[in-house]
Amino acid sequence: MPKGYWVTIYRKIKDPAKLAAYAELAPKATAPFGGKYLARATASSAYEAGLKDRIVISEFPSVEQAKAAYESDGYQAALKALGDGAERDVRIVAGLE
């Protein structure tokens, strides 16, 4: 079964305090689902569209675990803490292996 990945692009950070509250809760909420961060930073280089947005890549044992983590009560509480503090795009994709 291929691993699952969250790819999160932060288009705009509107409230750093809300983002910090989210960042405190999110890892604790996703860890029980096997979630771990692979990358979490502003792009060091940007090609083609040229957007250097902040990006976070998280790995899970499967797509199902990634979805379950996102839909969990703990992660929903993290999202509530984030509120309107950031404009972002979250996608869940399957790995190739």
Side-chain angles (χ1 to χ4, degrees):
M1 175 175 353
K3 292 184 178 184
Y5 296 89
W6 282 10
V7 180
T8 306
I9 306 293
Y10 285 79
R11 306 281 180 224
K12 185 185 294 184
I13 296 172
K14 300 175 183 178
D15 187 332
K18 288 182 178 180
L19 180 59
Y22 165 84
E24 178 72 24
L25 297 171
K28 296 172 188 170
T30 59
F33 298 90
K36 68 177 187 176
Y37 293 103
L38 299 180
R40 184 173 47 195
T42 300
S44 58
S45 298
Y47 302 98
E48 301 184 24
L51 302 175
K52 284 186 130 182
D53 296 329
R54 177 176 174 78
I55 186 168
V56 178
I57 301 172
S58 305
E59 180 182 74
F60 291 84
S62 67
V63 169
E64 291 74 19
Q65 288 293 91
K67 288 179 182 178
Y70 189 89
E71 296 167 359
S72 71
D73 290 342
Y75 189 72
Q76 292 302 306
L79 285 177
K80 186 174 180 180
L82 177 61
D84 63 356
E87 181 181 312
R88 55 190 221 146
D89 180 20
V90 179
R91 297 175 188 195
I92 296 175
V93 297
L96 298 176
E97 298 179 11

